[in-house]
Amino acid sequence: MPHMSGPAVAEKVTALRPGIKVLYMSGYTDDAVVHHGVLSHEVPFIQKPFSPVALREKIREVLGERKEGKIADA
């Protein structure tokens, strides 16, 4: 993004919509992102590249739609 970082966008959006779910994605590993102080381990994150299935699973996880270790049917 040319003028704003992902965390800055997320901060503005969550200020406008408290409780909204945020999923970060990056080409860097989650360890690199955490070590550079961008995110903490508790923040939902998916590493690029990812498959459509992996993205769907991660979104469902963030939205709390996982049931007993399996993905809930949509």
Side-chain angles (χ1 to χ4, degrees):
M1 292 180 288
H3 302 288
M4 216 179 242
S5 68
V9 170
E11 185 177 322
K12 287 193 176 278
V13 170
T14 55
L16 295 171
R17 299 279 311 260
I20 195 166
K21 306 288 183 167
V22 176
L23 172 61
Y24 290 90
M25 63 178 75
S26 175
Y28 295 104
T29 65
D30 56 349
D31 286 339
V33 172
V34 170
H35 289 307
H36 287 101
V38 178
L39 300 175
S40 69
H41 281 291
E42 296 81 35
V43 174
F45 176 84
I46 189 167
Q47 182 180 343
K48 295 177 188 175
F50 48 80
S51 69
V53 171
L55 179 59
R56 182 191 71 206
E57 289 176 1
K58 191 65 167 183
I59 290 170
R60 286 183 169 173
E61 177 185 315
V62 170
L63 294 176
E65 295 179 6
R66 285 184 171 263
K67 293 183 181 176
E68 297 178 23
K70 296 186 178 189
I71 298 188
D73 292 327

